[in-house]
Amino acid sequence: MRKDKVLLVEDDSTLSFIVEDALCREGFDVVCAPNGEAGLRLFKETVPDIVVADVMLPKMDGFEMVRLIRLTSPTIPVLFLTARTALDDVVKGFELGGNDYLRKPFQILELVVRIRALLNRNLRSTPEETNLTICDCTLDFASQRLVTGGETFELTHTEAVITDELFRHVNEVVEAKTLMYRIWNNDDYNNLNRLHGFIYKLRKYLSKSSRLELLNARGIGYKLATKPQPGAETTQ
């Protein structure tokens, strides 16, 4: 039976050894890298199922490593390990493509639980098709590009995830908690304002479309709605 492969990128050799040993005993296949450059190289060579990476790494930090990984692998789960507590750092990690984070020091059991949750969620939610077209808008999820009204917008990973969910449920209300679970693996009320911020930016992009509009469903979520074609007649 194939084991799930974990790429662990951690420059603290003692912690790396402890985590590697624990994950192997839990049934994972683990490959380790001591810095961001080695982590990026091993990612390409070993094709892991999940990346667990420290934020503060030599040669290339975890944020930059994940940003580069996301250029070719937009759906692989990423869990950041960090000693940082500043909210801005956490937000940056999510916007660059992190799915979850764990503050140091942490319990090995919690790490194992979070890894399994991310793997299970990714198995259920990985898009079957990464290129979606609705009316005059096209989302290329793999490259994180949105083309609307003849203009091309480079999306962050989080923006691409939200757009993908809305495109897959056009003319339906997508609950805010559904989006928060897909982005952050929780529906913490504190994340709601952050979600509103991403929606605000997406609404500006989609305003270039003559056929789509992003609506609020007050107290519930959001709806990507199609508009009638210009000049189309309506019947009573």
Side-chain angles (χ1 to χ4, degrees), residues 130 132 134 137-141 144-148 153-170 174 179 182-183 195 198-199 201-203 205-206 212 214 224:
T130 62
L132 301 174
I134 306 293
C137 297
T138 297
L139 170 69
D140 185 340
F141 187 79
Q144 297 178 188
R145 290 188 178 91
L146 175 66
V147 179
T148 175
F153 298 95
E154 302 287 339
L155 305 180
T156 67
H157 178 72
T158 300
E159 290 167 352
V161 168
I162 295 171
T163 308
D164 181 78
E165 192 71 25
L166 293 170
F167 268 44
R168 291 177 187 280
H169 298 90
V170 65
V174 178
L179 293 171
R182 184 163 174 194
I183 301 165
L195 178 60
F198 287 116
I199 292 293
K201 288 182 66 178
L202 288 175
R203 184 172 284 119
Y205 300 153
L206 291 167
L212 293 177
L214 184 50
L224 184 63

Side-chain angles (χ1 to χ4, degrees), residues 36 53-57 60-67 80 96:
D54 193 2
V55 170
M56 298 294 290
L57 292 168
M60 178 189 294
D61 68 24
F63 289 152
E64 178 62 9
M65 182 190 72
V66 169
R67 186 188 72 79
F80 281 118
L96 287 172

Side-chain angles (χ1 to χ4, degrees), residues 75 123-132 141 164 168 182:
T75 61
L123 185 64
R124 295 194 304 270
S125 64
T126 298
E128 301 87 359
E129 174 58 55
T130 62
N131 199 306
L132 301 174
F141 187 79
D164 181 78
R168 291 177 187 280
R182 184 163 174 194

Side-chain angles (χ1 to χ4, degrees), residues 62-218:
F63 289 152
E64 178 62 9
M65 182 190 72
V66 169
R67 186 188 72 79
L68 294 173
I69 285 173
R70 282 286 180 238
L71 295 177
T72 57
S73 301
T75 61
I76 187 168
V78 173
L79 190 157
F80 281 118
L81 304 176
T82 178
R84 297 178 172 182
T85 58
L87 180 60
D88 287 348
D89 289 327
V90 174
V91 170
K92 181 179 179 181
F94 281 128
E95 290 187 347
L96 287 172
N99 301 98
D100 200 359
Y101 72 97
L102 193 57
R103 287 196 176 103
K104 297 179 179 180
F106 54 85
Q107 297 292 323
I108 292 295
L109 179 59
E110 183 177 6
L111 175 62
V112 171
V113 168
R114 290 184 183 230
I115 287 174
R116 286 180 172 153
L118 287 174
L119 287 170
N120 289 336
R121 182 162 62 94
N122 191 61
L123 185 64
R124 295 194 304 270
S125 64
T126 298
E128 301 87 359
E129 174 58 55
T130 62
N131 199 306
L132 301 174
T133 298
I134 306 293
C135 297
D136 59 349
C137 297
T138 297
L139 170 69
D140 185 340
F141 187 79
S143 64
Q144 297 178 188
R145 290 188 178 91
L146 175 66
V147 179
T148 175
E151 296 188 37
T152 300
F153 298 95
E154 302 287 339
L155 305 180
T156 67
H157 178 72
T158 300
E159 290 167 352
V161 168
I162 295 171
T163 308
D164 181 78
E165 192 71 25
L166 293 170
F167 268 44
R168 291 177 187 280
H169 298 90
V170 65
N171 289 320
E172 301 175 17
V173 174
V174 178
E175 294 186 29
K177 66 179 182 180
T178 298
L179 293 171
M180 289 191 287
Y181 261 104
R182 184 163 174 194
I183 301 165
W184 298 299
N185 204 31
N186 66 64
D187 61 351
D188 189 325
Y189 182 79
N190 293 325
N191 284 327
L192 195 55
N193 284 337
R194 293 166 59 195
L195 178 60
H196 290 332
F198 287 116
I199 292 293
Y200 176 78
K201 288 182 66 178
L202 288 175
R203 184 172 284 119
K204 290 178 64 177
Y205 300 153
L206 291 167
S207 69
K208 305 296 182 180
S209 169
S210 62
R211 297 292 316 284
L212 293 177
E213 57 184 338
L214 184 50
L215 306 175
N216 286 335
R218 187 175 296 276

